[in-house]
């Protein structure tokens, strides 16, 4: 009752008067390479951002308001905008929000903005469960086949001037007997998410059921058409609606004969079929996790036909109250206000509106919100980080989307930028259980925080300590395969960026994470990357065309070494210590391996900033990345570029480990070459445009075991010496005979090579995980 007058007053008002703002000359460059970290904004750590060369700011919602059992996101209430809440009039918070953006801009930051009104509307849920037979297509996912039924009863699929086929049940067809037309939904868990209160929790909303049905005209009002049954996770019928011919007629007793989705159930005109919030916990009374695919979920929406009249049924639409109100246009003023007054505040240099962890049934709402944002402010849009998989289904299988399906999703949403966020490093047992591959760390860390880095989830040690070669082989497998990083991650991101001509930001795994676990029973987890792995993941992402890096995450939570919830261990570590006391002393100067994590971020970002002008200028159409130890990709590189050989050497006093022919020149002193399949490199070629005579080359040493200089004959780490050979006949090198190689980090020349010579050029030492970016420019002969 308290909130109602405020809401009514708010929606009765026109858009707040717009204010003209004088453009502010900030240090934010709109064409800069973006460097940031999720949740960094919650600390207001401007000195830290500057030291770490960050120019991208982000903050999650500042808690929530629970009103009448319903969850509503709060905004920047903890960093200077105390009235920034969902139902607040804009006059109560816009000035404070703009001041935060202005402070960010004055400190060289552009802002990814999670805003209560945009977030709330974007997470609305909408699903159309098709009633025709849709064959399963888990490989190509060319259709939304998961939004359909496994079992079909009476009826045939026909064309009826609808976008898809419909199910027709005919009284005069002897093969059509009364019964359930459809039952057993494939994706049947979208209304069963019973997590703690958050924006996509299901039981805090009213749900609207909108079956699209058509019947003949001129029938008796009492003629039974069908019954809609909603069945719980535990196979209990929760709600049934009986639709008669009278349900199809409006308040004046008329029916057009067209498809309708709302029905006259109370003789008060058309209205949706509703299950109120008070009943929603019945969907999933025992609160099974919606991703528990091995648990047998019986939730269903069934349609029973009485065979008393013909019936055409297209789909059953299900929307929560957020989506239902959104698509009626009832919140367009919210979107317009945020798009103009926040997204349009040029002095504050806003970047994008931002949301993440989006489920598939929120896509229609995201599309609507994004289109409205761009309508009200053509220079602003929404960026999201979605789950790129089909909704969870029974049977223990997740169906990940291939690159064509993901491209169609981003195209449908109207994205102008997107994130790639595959995290390849998990705790050992989480990795084994989910991907069938272990997760190792090398045995070359001399200063581990606890127990010499031996696996122990109580203390954040989630990798198994193994010899160097075993670790390196495992790391390459985790990076290349299992749809974790490159396979269905960066390669797909590169493809979408090229096809849709939009940039992508690489959200890098920089964190340690453990969900509620007991010793000996590790649940979902992410192993903390070593400093070398931090660098190698960032550099590999750059080879596939990333135009920015955002580390997950700035913040940390939960104690390490003691249980957090009862007897369970649960924690997360990003770039800050937990708890953070004073900002200048709370950076994580020690990760679980005893390395200075914060300084590594500072140094890595300094390199990215120096490279930035080049990285943003590269045209994705003329950029190509290759996994050198993969023979197919290596042959593609050597066939389709100006490179004809790359040789890596390791320090050793013994003979090479293989019988391959060497590079044709003597090994450097005390070094031997790696076999071709052991040259763990990522190699990329770039161009700014098709006619640019200057070439750009990036080489990443993907070996990440820290180097130990103990003068032994054993493998001592990932340090590698690299030589490169160029194709003397390449069409790419026709602008001259002599070419200057320049290291674009130091901006110093490395070598001059004569393309008429086949001699290998020495590029020098590459530290474990290190990438180097070069330009190749023709010199006057």
């Amino acid at each position: 009752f308290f909130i109602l007058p405020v809401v009514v007053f708010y929606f009765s008002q026109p858009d707040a008067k717009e204010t003209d703002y004088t453009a502010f000359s900030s240090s934010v460059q709109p064409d800069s390479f973006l460097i940031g970290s999720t949740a960094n904004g919650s600390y207001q750590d401007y000195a830290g951002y500057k030291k770490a060369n960050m120019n991208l700011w982000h903050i999650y919602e500042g808690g929530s308001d629970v009103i009448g059992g319903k969850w509503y996101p709060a905004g920047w209430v903890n960093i200077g905008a105390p009235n920034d809440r969902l139902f607040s009039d804009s006059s109560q918070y816009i000035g404070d929000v703009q001041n935060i953006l202005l402070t960010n801009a004055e400190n060289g930051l552009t802002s990814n903005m999670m805003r209560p009104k945009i977030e709330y509307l974007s997470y609305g849920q909408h699903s159309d469960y098709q009633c025709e037979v849709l064959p399963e297509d888990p490989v190509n996912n060319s259709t939304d086949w998961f939004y359909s039924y496994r079992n079909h009863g009476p009826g045939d699929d026909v064309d009826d001037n609808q976008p898809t086929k419909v199910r027709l049940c005919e009284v005069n067809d002897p093969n059509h007997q009364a019964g359930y037309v459809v039952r057993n939904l494939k994706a049947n868990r979208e209304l069963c998410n019973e997590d703690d209160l958050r924006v996509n929790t299901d039981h805090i909303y009213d749900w609207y059921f909108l079956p699209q049905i058509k019947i003949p005209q001129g029938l008796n009002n009492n003629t039974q058409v069908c019954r809609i049954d909603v069945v719980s996770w535990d196979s209990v019928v929760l709600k049934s609606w009986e639709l008669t011919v009278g349900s199809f007629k409006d308040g004046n007793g008329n029916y057009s004969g067209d498809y309708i989705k709302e029905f006259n159930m109370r003789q008060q005109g058309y209205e949706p079929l509703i299950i109120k919030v008070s009943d929603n916990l019945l969907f999933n009374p025992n609160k099974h996790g919606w991703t528990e695919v091995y648990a047998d979920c019986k939730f269903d929406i069934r349609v029973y036909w009485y065979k008393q009249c013909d019936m055409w049924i297209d789909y059953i639409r299900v929307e929560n109250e957020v989506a239902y109100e959104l698509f009626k246009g009832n919140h367009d003023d919210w979107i317009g206000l945020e798009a103009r007054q926040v997204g349009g505040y040029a002095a504050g240099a806003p970047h994008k509106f931002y949301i993440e962890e989006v489920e598939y049934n929120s896509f229609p709402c995201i599309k609507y919100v994004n289109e409205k944002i761009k309508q009200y402010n053509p220079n602003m849009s929404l960026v999201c980080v979605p789950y790129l998989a089909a909704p969870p289904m029974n049977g223990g299988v997740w169906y990940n989307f291939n690159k064509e399906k993901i491209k169609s999703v981003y195209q449908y949403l109207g994205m102008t930028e997107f994130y790639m966020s595959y995290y390849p490093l998990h705790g050992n047992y989480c990795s084994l259980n989910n991907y069938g591959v272990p997760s190792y760390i090398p045995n070359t860390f001399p200063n581990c925080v606890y127990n010499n880095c031996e696996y122990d989830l109580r203390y954040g040690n989630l990798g198994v300590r193994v010899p160097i070669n075993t670790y390196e082989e495992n790391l390459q497998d985790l990076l290349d395969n299992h749809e974790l990083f490159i396979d269905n991650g960066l390669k797909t991101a590169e493809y979408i960026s090229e096809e849709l001509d939009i940039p992508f930001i690489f959200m890098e795994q920089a964190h340690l994470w453990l969900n509620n676990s007991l010793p000996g029973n590790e649940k979902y987890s992410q192993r903390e990357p070593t400093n070398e792995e931090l660098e190698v993941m960032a550099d590999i992402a750059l080879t596939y065309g990333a135009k920015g890096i955002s580390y997950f995450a700035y913040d940390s939570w939960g104690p390490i070494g003691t249980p957090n919830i009862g007897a369970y261990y649960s924690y997360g570590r990003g770039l800050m210590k937990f708890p953070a006391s004073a900002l200048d002393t709370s950076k994580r100067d020690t990760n679980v391996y005893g390395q200075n994590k914060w300084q590594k971020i500072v140094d890595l970002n300094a390199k990215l900033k120096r490279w930035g002008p080049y990285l943003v200028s590269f045209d994705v159409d003329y950029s190509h990345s290759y996994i050198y130890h993969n023979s197919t990709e290596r042959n593609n590189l050597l066939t389709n570029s100006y490179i004809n050989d790359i040789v890596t050497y390791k320090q050793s006093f013994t003979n090479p480990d293989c019988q391959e022919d060497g590079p044709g020149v003597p090994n450097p002193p005390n070094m031997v070459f790696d076999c071709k399949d052991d040259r763990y490199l990522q190699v990329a070629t770039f161009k700014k445009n098709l006619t640019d005579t200057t070439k750009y080359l990036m080489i990443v040493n993907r070996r990440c075991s820290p180097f130990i200089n103990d003068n032994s004959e054993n493998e001592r780490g990932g340090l590698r010496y690299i030589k490169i050979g160029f194709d003397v006949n390449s069409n790419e090198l026709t602008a001259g005979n002599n070419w200057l190689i320049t290291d674009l980090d130091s901006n110093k020349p490395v070598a001059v090579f004569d393309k008429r010579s086949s001699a290998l050029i020495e590029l020098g030492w590459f530290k474990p995980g290190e990438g180097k970016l070069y330009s190749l420019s023709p010199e006057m002969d």
Side-chain angles (χ1 to χ4, degrees):
F1 289 102
F2 170 77
I3 201 67
L4 182 59
V6 178
V7 175
V8 171
F9 173 80
Y10 185 88
F11 282 117
S12 67
Q13 303 305 304
D15 286 353
K17 182 179 178 181
E18 303 304 322
T19 304
D20 293 326
Y21 296 99
T22 303
F24 182 82
S25 180
S26 76
S27 59
V28 177
Q29 300 297 319
D31 58 349
S32 295
F33 185 86
L34 295 175
I35 307 172
S37 178
T38 57
N40 60 3
S42 59
Y43 289 88
Q44 298 180 287
D45 184 17
Y46 293 102
Y49 311 148
K50 183 176 181 180
K51 184 173 182 179
N53 292 291
M54 291 184 177
N55 58 6
L56 181 63
W57 177 96
H58 166 266
I59 189 171
Y60 289 105
E61 68 267 354
S64 61
D65 295 315
V66 179
I67 304 171
K70 297 185 179 182
W71 185 98
Y72 302 104
W76 302 348
V77 295
N78 299 320
I79 59 168
N83 297 313
D84 185 22
R85 301 182 182 278
L86 185 70
F87 295 114
S88 296
D89 184 83
S90 64
S91 62
Q92 296 179 298
Y93 65 81
I94 283 294
D96 291 335
V97 167
Q98 290 174 344
N99 284 337
I100 293 169
L101 292 176
L102 183 59
T103 301
N104 290 346
E106 290 173 333
N107 285 276
L109 298 164
T110 185
S111 301
N112 262 344
M113 305 170 296
M114 293 191 78
R115 304 289 307 128
K117 291 177 172 60
I118 299 297
E119 180 185 1
Y120 177 73
L121 298 176
S122 296
Y123 282 102
Q125 299 182 55
H126 164 112
S127 305
D128 284 346
Y129 299 114
Q130 300 292 335
C131 293
E132 73 272 20
V133 176
L134 282 180
E136 296 195 9
D137 184 22
V139 175
N140 298 313
N141 288 296
S142 55
T143 64
D144 283 358
W145 59 269
F146 38 84
Y147 276 161
S148 62
Y149 287 85
R150 298 189 187 280
N151 298 109
H152 296 76
D156 295 305
D157 295 342
V158 299
D159 293 310
D160 194 40
N161 298 317
Q162 300 299 305
T164 62
K165 290 182 179 293
V166 304
R167 192 79 173 170
L168 169 61
C169 301
E170 295 184 277
V171 170
N172 294 327
D173 190 324
N175 294 319
H176 295 181
Q177 299 300 315
Y180 280 108
V181 180
V182 288
R183 58 187 177 89
N184 197 358
L185 280 170
K186 293 174 183 173
N188 68 335
R189 297 161 182 251
E190 290 190 317
L191 279 66
C192 299
N193 186 357
E194 300 304 337
D195 290 339
D196 293 334
L197 288 180
R198 52 185 298 198
V199 70
N200 56 356
T201 301
D202 291 336
H203 74 263
I204 59 176
Y205 299 111
D206 295 343
W207 283 89
Y208 295 73
F209 294 78
L210 305 158
Q212 174 144 295
I213 303 175
K214 181 178 78 171
I215 61 173
Q217 293 175 294
L219 301 174
N220 184 282
N221 283 358
N222 295 323
T223 302
Q224 290 180 299
V225 179
C226 66
R227 185 181 73 245
I228 313 294
D229 294 334
V230 179
V231 180
S232 76
W233 184 298
D234 297 324
S235 197
V236 176
V237 177
L238 302 178
K239 189 80 172 181
S240 291
W241 294 282
E242 296 279 355
L243 300 185
T244 65
V245 169
S247 308
F248 284 73
K249 297 182 178 180
D250 63 21
N252 297 316
N254 299 316
Y255 168 57
S256 66
D258 295 329
Y259 287 95
I260 61 173
K261 293 187 286 289
E262 298 185 349
F263 301 90
N264 187 358
M265 305 298 291
R266 300 183 299 169
Q267 303 307 308
Q268 296 178 7
Y270 292 136
E271 58 185 356
L273 309 177
I274 304 176
I275 292 183
K276 302 296 289 185
V277 66
S278 57
D279 295 326
N280 276 344
L281 275 175
L282 298 177
F283 291 164
N284 186 359
N286 293 316
K287 293 192 174 183
H288 296 280
W290 72 294
T291 59
E292 291 179 32
V293 290
Y294 287 103
D296 190 11
C297 176
K298 300 293 187 181
F299 180 86
D300 207 1
I301 307 168
R302 302 169 181 170
V303 180
Y304 186 93
W305 177 60
Y306 287 107
K307 194 178 172 66
Q308 293 188 17
C309 69
D310 293 347
M311 179 184 74
W312 294 256
I313 182 166
D314 190 355
Y315 55 76
I316 298 175
R317 175 168 296 171
V318 181
E319 294 177 343
N320 68 1
E321 62 189 85
V322 181
Y324 185 78
E325 294 295 327
L326 176 68
F327 293 128
K328 286 184 173 293
N330 292 342
H331 292 308
D332 287 358
D333 53 350
W334 280 9
I335 303 171
L337 184 148
E338 288 285 328
R340 291 192 291 258
Q341 292 194 352
V342 180
Y345 182 50
H351 181 62
K352 303 283 185 188
F353 292 107
Y354 174 95
I355 55 174
E356 65 177 45
E357 294 190 348
V358 177
E359 298 168 29
Y360 197 83
N361 64 347
S362 288
F363 287 170
C365 292
I366 294 170
K367 173 182 173 65
Y368 184 95
V369 171
N370 195 34
E371 287 177 348
K372 287 295 179 181
I373 289 171
K374 292 190 283 188
Q375 175 184 326
Y376 290 116
N377 181 357
N379 296 319
M380 184 51 57
S381 61
L382 178 69
V383 65
C384 69
V385 185
Y387 294 127
L388 296 176
M393 290 169 274
N394 287 347
V397 179
W398 284 88
Y399 295 111
N400 289 328
F401 292 154
N402 62 20
K403 63 182 182 180
E404 290 296 335
K405 181 65 173 181
I406 296 172
K407 182 186 79 171
S408 71
V409 167
Y410 283 122
Q411 196 166 26
Y412 167 80
L413 297 177
M415 292 289 105
T416 59
E417 177 184 281
F418 66 99
Y419 274 74
M420 178 270 170
S421 60
Y422 279 72
Y423 299 149
L425 307 177
H426 293 268
N428 183 64
Y429 295 100
C430 175
S431 187
L432 279 169
N433 291 336
N434 287 282
Y435 309 107
V437 59
S439 183
Y440 295 148
I441 61 169
N443 60 1
T444 53
F445 290 115
N447 300 310
C448 280
V449 176
Y450 176 79
N451 195 23
N452 201 27
C453 281
E454 295 293 345
Y455 177 91
D456 193 328
L457 64 79
R458 296 173 299 173
Y459 296 94
N461 297 341
L462 300 182
V464 173
R465 194 168 168 268
V466 295
I468 290 171
N469 284 336
T470 304
Y471 160 75
E472 297 289 7
E473 292 174 4
N474 173 256
L475 177 64
Q476 308 315 314
D477 186 29
L478 290 173
L479 295 177
D480 291 346
N481 306 310
H482 313 292
E483 298 185 332
L484 293 175
F485 186 63
I486 291 178
D487 182 26
N488 199 39
L490 286 168
K491 286 184 177 180
T492 297
E494 178 188 47
Y495 173 77
I496 293 170
S497 182
E498 181 176 347
E499 288 286 304
L500 301 183
D501 195 24
I502 57 177
F504 77 93
I505 309 299
F506 172 55
M507 184 176 285
E508 176 165 358
Q509 177 182 352
H511 62 292
L512 168 69
W513 189 282
L514 180 69
N515 280 0
N516 296 345
S517 299
L518 295 171
N521 188 15
E522 176 190 310
K523 300 299 183 182
Y524 184 79
S525 63
Q526 269 121 24
R527 172 174 73 76
E528 181 165 26
T530 68
N531 282 354
E532 293 79 9
E533 291 167 344
L534 272 175
E535 183 166 11
V536 84
M537 287 191 291
D539 286 345
I540 291 174
L542 301 181
T543 71
Y544 286 98
K547 302 302 183 186
I549 300 287
S550 179
Y551 301 103
F552 189 92
Y554 209 77
D555 57 355
S556 297
W557 59 274
I560 288 180
T562 58
N564 188 21
I565 303 173
Y568 290 89
Y569 292 82
S570 182
Y571 48 74
R573 290 294 181 272
L575 306 186
M576 298 291 284
K577 293 179 180 178
F578 176 82
S581 51
L583 290 176
D584 57 342
T585 60
S586 289
K587 308 300 188 298
R588 286 192 69 214
D589 50 16
T590 305
N591 63 15
V592 296
Y593 314 107
Q595 301 172 302
N596 190 324
K597 188 185 193 79
W598 175 255
Q599 190 60 47
K600 181 63 179 182
I601 291 292
V602 169
D603 295 341
L604 175 55
N605 288 353
K607 180 179 76 170
L608 297 178
K609 183 178 180 180
R610 290 189 290 269
W611 287 355
Y614 300 101
L615 297 172
V616 297
S617 70
F618 296 151
D619 190 326
V620 67
D621 289 338
Y622 309 114
S623 301
H624 306 283
S625 185
Y626 306 89
I627 301 169
Y628 199 78
H629 53 272
N630 179 299
S631 60
T632 300
E633 295 199 20
R634 181 172 63 246
N635 290 334
N636 288 338
L637 167 69
L638 302 181
T639 302
N640 299 308
S641 77
Y642 46 83
I643 298 168
N644 71 2
D645 198 9
I646 301 178
V647 185
T648 62
Y649 299 86
K650 62 182 177 181
Q651 286 193 351
S652 178
F653 301 98
T654 61
N655 293 324
D657 296 331
C658 64
Q659 302 302 314
E660 287 180 2
D661 291 335
V665 295
N667 291 331
N670 299 326
M671 286 190 278
V672 296
F673 65 88
D674 289 309
C675 304
K676 290 180 180 179
D677 290 347
D678 295 331
R679 297 173 192 173
Y680 295 153
L681 302 174
Q682 195 78 29
V683 183
T685 59
F686 305 101
K687 290 182 185 178
K688 293 183 178 180
N689 54 62
L690 182 60
T691 60
D692 191 7
T693 56
T694 300
K695 317 301 176 189
Y696 297 90
L697 168 68
M698 189 169 177
I699 298 178
V700 184
N701 176 15
R702 292 180 41 162
R703 292 179 177 268
C704 290
S705 50
F707 180 71
I708 296 177
N709 190 10
D710 61 2
N711 294 320
S712 72
E713 295 185 2
N714 299 319
E715 179 70 58
R716 290 175 286 164
L719 186 69
R720 286 299 185 268
Y721 195 84
I722 296 181
K723 294 184 179 183
I724 188 170
F726 296 96
D727 183 356
V728 297
N729 298 314
S730 172
N731 292 330
E732 294 284 320
L733 303 178
T734 57
N737 289 321
N738 294 314
W739 289 76
L740 173 66
I741 305 177
T742 302
D743 184 328
L744 295 180
D745 188 21
S746 65
N747 205 31
K748 294 180 179 179
V750 174
V752 175
F753 71 91
D754 185 340
K755 77 165 191 175
R756 294 163 294 188
S757 169
S758 59
L760 292 177
I761 306 299
E762 299 190 24
L763 297 180
W765 288 106
F766 282 59
K767 292 179 289 188
E770 184 179 20
K772 296 184 181 182
L773 180 64
Y774 302 99
S775 65
L776 283 66
S777 55
E779 288 194 325
M780 296 297 294
D781 294 336

